[in-house]
């Protein structure tokens, strides 16, 4: 039966998760140079429109429709344009809320995922090319991966792997795809020579705060009910993010002798990423460990690995979300308990079982390989048929003017600091 309390809980959760995407725009916008802030905001904003229309038309059906051919890769189009998706009757994924509410809640994840990805491409990709890239990426990467992980009959779900709120579907897919796309797109002009500094730390702080608040709904409302599992997920969310923030601050104080707002906010966000897949499966103590360990792991990739290989992941979509999501998926296989959530068929490795840990490794590997392969195809085809990168002159001028004829700071003299 439809439960009005659960409906209210997931409705409010949906609104809060949607608000995370504008928050991500502020978070990213403060990190870039002043001449690119409008382009960065627009790159996040258009995902709200494009992802919504595509989700309504075909995305929900491909992600959560009846499985095609028993392969567990995509759903059919029986729910295209929300056909058979009721605003008053329950659907196949939750008996206590209307099917349309489940579809709307899942839409919010679909919106923010490509918005995370675009952070890797900041400062040099043509807006028209980015728009087309994201459309095909949603079609060929996000929808199939969502079906494989969460859809009825999904291939990854069939392995016994679990993903409570999007470690594979959201963070690994966007982070790994961002890495591949930024390599194919090429580096920003002067990358490795010029220093790129965030232009507005208070904007980063504000965006990070919005993300932190929204993440309680991101994970908590994924229980799809106002119950103890939602409490578990929200508690884990807070504990992991706090531990990751403190861990990052500790590393900054050791390595650089000072702590920074940018670092503290980044640490909190990385902790939120890491706990996402296991938030509804692991005990509170495990959340502390997951959060404390994710910061040194991600910092290593964002500094040493990135410097070693020389790729220009502008806003560290891969370093934060890709690596954080991978660690979170593996950690779920270490710490999960079926007593917390019986969707997990087995306990984690540290509680005496190996099956879930192996399944998590397989799920992470499939997500990485699939996202990387499909993004490579999309980017290479686009590069073949159209110009995907702005001219050196447009890049030097800034994408705010060259791509949008707008300025974030009309009094800006043109000299970035």
């Amino acid at each position: 039966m439809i439960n009005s309390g659960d409906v209210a809980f997931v409705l409010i959760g949906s609104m809060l998760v949607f608000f995370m995407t504008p928050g991500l725009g502020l978070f990213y916008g403060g990190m870039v140079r002043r001449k690119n802030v409008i382009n960065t905001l627009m790159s996040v904003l258009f995902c709200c429109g494009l992802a919504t229309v595509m989700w309504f038309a075909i995305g929900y059906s491909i992600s959560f429709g009846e499985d095609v051919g028993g392969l567990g890769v995509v759903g059919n189009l029986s729910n295209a344009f929300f056909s058979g998706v009721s605003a008053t009757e329950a659907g196949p994924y939750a008996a206590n809320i209307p099917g349309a509410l489940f579809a709307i809640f899942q839409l919010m994840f679909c919106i923010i995922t490509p918005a995370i990805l675009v952070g890797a491409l900041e400062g040099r990709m043509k807006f028209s090319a980015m728009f087309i890239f994201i459309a095909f990426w949603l079609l060929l990467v996000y929808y199939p991966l969502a079906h494989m992980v969460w859809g009825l009959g999904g291939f990854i779900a069939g392995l016994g792997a679990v993903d409570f709120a999007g470690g594979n579907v959201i963070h690994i897919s966007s982070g790994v795809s961002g890495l591949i796309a930024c390599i194919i797109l090429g580096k920003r002009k002067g990358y490795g020579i010029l220093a790129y500094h965030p232009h507005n730390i208070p904007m980063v702080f504000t965006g990070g705060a919005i993300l932190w608040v929204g993440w309680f709904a991101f994970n908590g409302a994924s229980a799809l009910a106002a119950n103890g599992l939602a409490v578990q997920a929200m508690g884990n969310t807070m504990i992991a993010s706090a531990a990751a923030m403190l861990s990052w601050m500790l590393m900054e104080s050791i390595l650089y002798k000072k702590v920074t707002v940018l670092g503290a906010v980044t640490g909190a966000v990385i902790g939120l990423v890491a706990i996402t897949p296991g938030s509804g499966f692991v005990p509170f103590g495990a959340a502390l460990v997951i959060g404390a360990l994710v910061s040194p792991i991600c910092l290593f990739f964002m500094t040493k690995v990135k410097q070693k290989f020389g790729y220009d992941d502008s806003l560290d979509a891969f370093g934060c979300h890709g690596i954080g999501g991978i660690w979170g998926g593996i950690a779920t296989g270490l710490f999960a308990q079926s007593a917390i959530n019986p969707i997990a068929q087995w306990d984690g490795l540290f509680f005496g079982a190996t099956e879930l840990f192996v399944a998590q490794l397989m799920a992470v590997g499939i997500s990485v390989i699939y996202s990387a392969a499909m993004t490579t195809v999309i980017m290479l085809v686009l590069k073949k048929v159209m110009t995907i990168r702005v001219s050196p002159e447009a890049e030097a001028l800034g994408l705010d003017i060259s791509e949008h004829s707008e300025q974030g700071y009309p009094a800006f003299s043109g000299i970035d600091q």
Side-chain angles (χ1 to χ4, degrees), residues 106 109 113 116 137 142 145-146 149-150 156 162-176 215 218-219 222 270-281 317-318 320-332 360 363-368 371:
Q106 288 296 330
F109 293 89
T113 306
I116 294 169
W137 188 86
Y142 186 85
L145 201 54
V149 174
W150 290 329
I156 293 177
V162 295
D163 183 359
F164 191 72
N168 294 295
V169 181
I170 297 170
H171 299 297
I172 292 177
S173 71
S174 61
V176 171
W215 227 294
F218 194 96
N219 291 344
S222 289
I270 289 172
L272 294 166
V273 170
I275 197 59
T276 292
S279 56
F281 294 102
F318 174 69
C320 289
H321 296 271
I323 298 302
I326 290 170
W327 162 240
I330 295 171
T332 302
Q360 292 300 107
V364 167
I366 293 168
S367 300
V368 168
S371 300

Side-chain angles (χ1 to χ4, degrees), residues 76-166:
N76 63 22
L77 294 179
S78 60
N79 297 126
F81 296 97
F82 278 17
S83 174
V85 181
S86 174
T88 56
E89 297 179 1
Y93 290 92
N96 56 319
I97 61 173
L101 178 55
F102 174 81
I104 292 167
F105 180 66
Q106 288 296 330
L107 164 62
M108 305 311 161
F109 293 89
C110 180
I111 288 172
I112 198 169
T113 306
I116 294 169
L117 191 166
V118 300
L121 310 174
E122 183 276 326
R124 73 267 202 202
M125 190 170 189
K126 289 182 69 69
F127 181 76
S128 58
M130 183 178 289
F131 191 97
I132 296 170
F133 167 67
I134 291 301
F136 280 100
W137 188 86
L138 287 170
L139 182 65
L140 298 177
V141 179
Y142 186 85
Y143 302 157
L145 201 54
H147 184 79
M148 285 189 273
V149 174
W150 290 329
L152 294 177
F155 175 70
I156 293 177
L159 299 174
V162 295
D163 183 359
F164 191 72

Side-chain angles (χ1 to χ4, degrees), residues 6 176 181 255 282 294 352 354 363 375 391:
D6 294 340
V176 171
L255 296 174
V282 304
V294 72
T354 60
T375 301
S391 67

